[in-house]
Amino acid sequence: MVHACTRDCYDTCIFDDDHKPLNVFPINGFTCSRGIADLKRNDKNRINSAYIEGKEVTIDEALDYISKEIRKRDKQEMLHIDYDGNQGLLTWYFPARLWNVLGVASTDYSICSAEGHEAIKLHYGSSVGAFPEDFMNFNSFVIWGSETVFSFIHGWNLIKDKYKIVIDVRISETAKRSEKYYLIKPGSDAYLAIGIMKKLFERGLASTSLLDEPERLKSYIFSFSDDVIEEYTGLRMEEINELAELYYEKKPLTIIGFALGRTINGGDSISLISLIPALLGMRVGFYYSNSQGLGIDFKYLRGLHKYSPSRIVGMAEIGKEIEEGKITFIFTWNSNPLHSLPMSDRICEAVKEGRLFLVVHDPFWSETAKIANVVLPAPTYLEKEDVVYSYWHNYLIYNKPMFPKRGITEIELMRMLARKLEVNDDLIYEDEWLAIERATRVNVNELKSRGFVKLKPKYPEGKIKVEPLPSKLNKVNEYVIVYSSHPNYTNSQFKEIYGNREAIIFNSDYDGEGYLVTDYGKIRVKFKKDVSIPRGVLFVYKSTLFTLEGKPLNSIIGYQKGKYGGTPILNIDSVKIIRI
Ligand SMILES: Nc1nc2c(c(=O)[nH]1)N[C@H]1C(S)=C(S)[C@@H](COP(=O)(O)OP(=O)(O)OC[C@H]3O[C@@H](n4cnc5c(=O)[nH]c(N)nc54)[C@H](O)[C@@H]3O)O[C@H]1N2
Ligand SMILES: Nc1nc2c(c(=O)[nH]1)N[C@H]1C(S)=C(S)[C@@H](COP(=O)(O)OP(=O)(O)OC[C@H]3O[C@@H](n4cnc5c(=O)[nH]c(N)nc54)[C@H](O)[C@@H]3O)O[C@H]1N2
Ligand code: SF4
Ligand SMILES: [Mo]
């Protein structure tokens, strides 16, 4: 029997009964520092009971209390926030049915990768790209806006001995370990993609057969002068020419990092980067996320084939809507919004002032759980059955629990709350295994007995569409905040093992304390000089987003969002520094 790590991670490691990583490709018998520490972590910092306003209660009492609050309100002012804390189909997707049947507001699930999914889909029909087996067919790689060494360890393992080119805004760990790197100005990736394509056209190296309107692309590309491309990217034309040559000669696989979707011009950048392999005649020449290529009907699992939310609130705008009093009730699971959302200090303020009723269902005392009105204990992935997919490889895995259940599962909670609210819709009571079978078309008995099955990748057909091409690219001002994964944490998780680190702002020239200030707020932070960071860049690990005073860094991030998938622009510019 096997189980699978359900964390938000490319790799979705598969483990045996003793929690040893399986030696199947591409897991290859090893795991990360979190995978290693999972068993030890399972007993630490756990929520072991339900709580109302800090007082221990039974789950039944807590649900009575929550249902009274729900009955008092309009659908539009209630929101469920769920994201990828656990990627299991039975933990994340299926339990959303209650909220969709009730018709409360939903988020747009945009915080992480939506921008790139939508941008690539417009050209290719789907964002699906190379699977692990395809990686093996390439001898060179361009790693564009991704700290692969930390964020994608099994991907890195497949490519580490091959030729790698990194495009980043600082000398990342991945850059240090690669054969070549190019540092560009934050948010200028769209210009670099234009520059590369321009050189390919100019030198007659472009292959146009896969594109529906190559001439349209060419005239668009040639509307940008070399001077403009140099000015925006900070690279010289000789360097861009060299990169174009490398692209032509080596025909690399381009790994497009999710992080790009959260930068200024992010969707446009991903859109244009994705066209480079097409211009070299490669149908599958990039990897972004393969979740759209697995044939899983996520909408069915969430009940969205039958019901729709009363409204969609962009994840970029939740903080703002709370401030404006438009949201007065939040139910969250699988997510730590205080850590992850823009203007997240508005959540704290509104709860303190009694303007927002906050419920958190989580296995661990996350920052958000600590301030919630009602807290509910959830089992970890080691304590409940689930079915897990990966956004890189194509195994669908049956997660068999290793330990007895603690707390209440997301499905049990959904059904108990539905009974309290007298919601009787069949969707809520549909057998979850039947729902899995319908959504994945995989035989559940076979899945359970074999542990995992391979899904067949699904690719769209037809020409790659050149349109839409970005009409206007934004100018980026210094200072820009940029983030990367940290090897010992997954987003806000694993502080109980690896410690609660404060936000340190790595930069080119200042050691000391001070403030970061934007139109949305001010936070006191520590600064540290680092030679790998160019001027104009403020770098922080995305797992260390709280100050020592407990204020979230995201307090200073506004509600700007991408135009394709609505992804919040987290890599904001025009940040002022006050030194003290
Ligand atoms: N260990 C670990 N692994 C993780 C996670 C984790 O927290 N820890 N998180 C998971 C999740 S949720 C995600 S979304 C993925 C993210 O995985 P990746 O997509 O690899 O993103 P990051 O690790 O955030 O690294 C982003 C890189 O982009 C660079 N960058 C920032 N701005 C720009 C820009 O404007 N242009 C260019 N070219 N580069 C830029 C940063 O300097 C950084 O090196 O990783 C997953 N894997
Ligand atoms: N400033 C800034 N903000 C960012 C980012 C950034 O780079 N910079 N990155 C963004 C990205 S890429 C992402 S993906 C988000 C991630 O943002 P978060 O939502 O903060 O992600 P996690 O830390 O993974 O938190 C998920 C929560 O789910 C809980 N959880 C885990 N397993 C289960 C389970 O089985 N059941 C339940 N009920 N809960 C569970 C965890 O304990 C944790 O509290 O943050 C985004 N926010
Ligand atoms: S976080 Fe990623 S690398 Fe670590 S155990 Fe989970 S799937 Fe594997
Ligand atoms: Mo993410």
Side-chain angles (χ1 to χ4, degrees):
M1 270 305 152
V2 300
H3 59 274
C5 171
T6 55
R7 272 186 291 279
D8 188 349
C9 176
Y10 291 93
D11 307 33
T12 311
C13 289
I14 313 176
F15 298 90
D16 69 11
D17 270 347
D18 299 323
H19 198 66
K20 279 212 194 76
L22 284 196
N23 198 2
V24 293
F25 178 83
I27 314 304
N28 293 341
F30 72 97
T31 187
C32 69
S33 61
R34 291 144 286 146
I36 289 167
D38 254 333
L39 301 190
K40 190 168 141 203
R41 180 188 185 225
N42 209 51
D43 286 326
K44 292 184 187 286
N45 194 28
R46 291 293 298 273
I47 298 173
N48 285 318
S49 165
Y51 293 85
I52 297 178
E53 312 295 354
K55 188 172 155 282
E56 221 175 297
V57 294
T58 63
I59 287 172
D60 198 57
E61 285 168 325
L63 294 186
D64 274 337
Y65 192 63
I66 297 167
S67 51
K68 277 195 200 116
E69 291 294 327
I70 294 176
R71 283 178 198 276
K72 277 190 215 165
R73 288 176 166 82
D74 284 342
K75 292 176 196 173
Q76 285 86 348
E77 58 184 289
M78 295 189 281
L79 175 73
H80 61 103
I81 305 181
D82 45 294
Y83 205 70
D84 200 347
N86 177 323
Q87 200 165 277
L89 299 182
L90 298 181
T91 298
W92 184 12
Y93 298 88
F94 189 74
R97 283 187 174 191
L98 171 66
W99 304 104
N100 290 325
V101 171
L102 285 172
V104 305
S106 164
T107 75
D108 59 355
Y109 295 101
S110 63
I111 189 76
C112 179
S113 56
E115 193 67 8
H117 276 297
E118 294 309 312
I120 297 172
K121 205 162 93 182
L122 289 171
H123 298 299
Y124 285 81
S126 157
S127 52
V128 60
F131 281 86
E133 280 81 359
D134 304 318
F135 275 51
M136 303 305 284
N137 297 328
F138 287 85
N139 289 319
S140 61
F141 297 82
V142 171
I143 303 171
W144 202 320
S146 166
E147 183 61 299
T148 310
V149 166
F150 295 150
S151 65
F152 185 14
I153 61 166
H154 291 88
W156 177 254
N157 183 52
L158 296 190
I159 70 174
K160 66 180 191 309
D161 299 326
K162 297 190 174 177
Y163 190 88
K164 304 166 299 296
I165 302 164
V166 168
I167 299 168
D168 208 296
V169 297
R170 61 181 184 108
I171 310 172
S172 64
E173 193 53 33
T174 310
K176 286 177 195 158
R177 297 197 211 170
S178 293
E179 282 60 34
K180 220 170 179 54
Y181 64 78
Y182 296 86
L183 297 193
I184 60 170
K185 291 186 187 168
S188 71
D189 303 82
Y191 288 95
L192 179 55
I194 288 167
I196 294 170
M197 289 195 270
K198 192 170 175 192
K199 293 296 135 192
L200 291 174
F201 273 120
E202 271 176 7
R203 300 185 48 192
L205 306 177
S207 151
T208 52
S209 59
L210 291 175
L211 299 167
D212 66 343
E213 292 180 279
E215 286 307 313
R216 166 79 190 104
L217 179 63
K218 191 172 176 186
S219 68
Y220 174 80
I221 295 290
F222 278 85
S223 70
F224 293 84
S225 73
D226 284 7
D227 289 347
V228 163
I229 295 169
E230 285 188 332
E231 184 200 330
Y232 279 80
T233 58
L235 289 182
R236 284 173 292 113
M237 223 51 212
E238 299 89 90
E239 293 172 289
I240 297 176
N241 199 25
E242 180 187 69
L243 193 46
E245 259 171 27
L246 284 168
Y247 251 112
Y248 178 73
E249 279 163 17
K250 295 189 176 291
K251 306 273 185 301
L253 180 76
T254 304
I255 297 174
I256 308 175
F258 294 158
L260 280 179
R262 299 173 222 123
T263 62
I264 296 167
N265 300 317
D268 291 330
S269 295
I270 295 178
S271 159
L272 291 163
I273 293 166
S274 79
L275 290 177
I276 301 173
L279 203 56
L280 291 165
M282 295 191 274
R283 191 77 177 72
V284 183
F286 65 84
Y287 165 67
Y288 179 70
S289 158
N290 289 333
S291 59
Q292 292 185 356
L294 301 172
I296 302 176
D297 190 345
F298 297 112
K299 282 194 170 160
Y300 179 80
L301 287 167
R302 288 192 171 124
L304 291 170
H305 59 297
K306 202 167 152 198
Y307 290 96
S308 357
S310 52
R311 67 189 187 103
I312 305 284
V313 184
M315 288 179 103
E317 290 144 338
I318 294 173
K320 177 171 169 275
E321 287 219 359
I322 291 171
E323 192 170 65
E324 293 166 348
K326 290 183 184 153
I327 298 168
T328 67
F329 175 101
I330 289 178
F331 184 99
T332 183
W333 79 100
N334 260 347
S335 166
N336 185 3
L338 219 55
H339 160 87
S340 53
L341 295 185
M343 293 171 78
S344 57
D345 59 332
R346 275 57 165 192
I347 302 175
C348 286
E349 281 167 17
V351 172
K352 259 193 213 138
E353 291 167 13
R355 290 184 280 115
L356 175 69
F357 187 85
L358 177 65
V359 183
V360 173
H361 183 211
D362 203 298
F364 297 96
W365 283 106
S366 70
E367 287 85 359
T368 315
K370 284 182 188 153
I371 63 150
N373 300 88
V374 178
V375 179
L376 295 157
T380 62
Y381 80 90
L382 298 169
E383 299 165 353
K384 63 190 164 199
E385 280 188 298
D386 218 322
V387 174
V388 196
Y389 69 96
S390 156
Y391 42 79
W392 178 41
H393 59 66
N394 48 334
Y395 291 117
L396 190 70
I397 308 146
Y398 167 59
N399 182 67
K400 187 174 185 292
M402 288 188 82
F403 301 123
K405 184 187 79 177
R406 293 197 227 173
I408 176 169
T409 69
E410 289 66 19
I411 296 182
E412 288 166 342
L413 183 60
M414 165 177 78
R415 291 185 182 144
M416 263 181 92
L417 194 53
R419 274 186 220 108
K420 302 247 178 233
L421 293 166
E422 293 164 64
V423 176
N424 297 316
D425 197 281
D426 290 348
L427 277 191
I428 289 168
Y429 301 99
E430 183 189 20
D431 179 83
E432 56 270 30
W433 296 104
L434 200 58
I436 293 278
E437 217 155 64
R438 287 179 175 152
T440 63
R441 284 181 221 99
V442 165
N443 181 298
V444 162
N445 289 334
E446 189 191 329
L447 177 66
K448 284 188 177 181
S449 68
R450 288 176 50 190
F452 51 94
V453 297
K454 232 171 181 178
L455 300 171
K456 201 170 163 346
K458 290 192 168 37
Y459 286 99
E461 283 168 8
K463 289 260 184 189
I464 296 160
K465 292 194 176 68
V466 162
E467 292 282 6
L469 292 165
S471 51
K472 179 179 165 283
L473 294 169
N474 293 308
K475 190 164 177 356
V476 181
N477 304 305
E478 68 175 19
Y479 285 87
V480 180
I481 311 190
V482 310
Y483 316 86
S484 92
S485 301
H486 188 288
N488 288 341
Y489 304 85
T490 300
N491 296 315
S492 69
Q493 304 189 59
F494 269 83
K495 289 173 186 156
E496 43 284 301
I497 296 288
Y498 296 113
N500 199 2
R501 293 174 198 226
E502 68 179 312
I504 298 201
I505 310 298
F506 296 94
N507 69 103
S508 63
D509 59 359
Y510 179 48
D511 268 320
E513 290 203 19
Y515 294 92
L516 292 182
V517 188
T518 67
D519 292 346
Y520 304 92
K522 179 174 175 182
I523 50 165
R524 186 172 172 145
V525 285
K526 283 193 183 140
F527 293 87
K528 211 169 170 15
K529 228 158 89 172
D530 192 306
V531 290
S532 66
I533 316 285
R535 198 190 142 72
V537 171
L538 303 171
F539 170 72
V540 58
Y541 286 108
K542 69 169 176 167
S543 301
T544 59
L545 290 182
F546 286 89
T547 66
L548 264 193
E549 298 143 326
K551 197 154 181 201
L553 183 142
N554 284 8
S555 316
I556 64 169
I557 296 178
Y559 47 87
Q560 291 79 3
K561 58 182 191 177
K563 63 183 183 218
Y564 296 85
T567 294
I569 296 175
L570 300 170
N571 295 35
I572 48 168
D573 69 346
S574 303
V575 179
K576 291 186 194 68
I577 298 173
I578 302 176
R579 302 179 181 200
I580 48 176

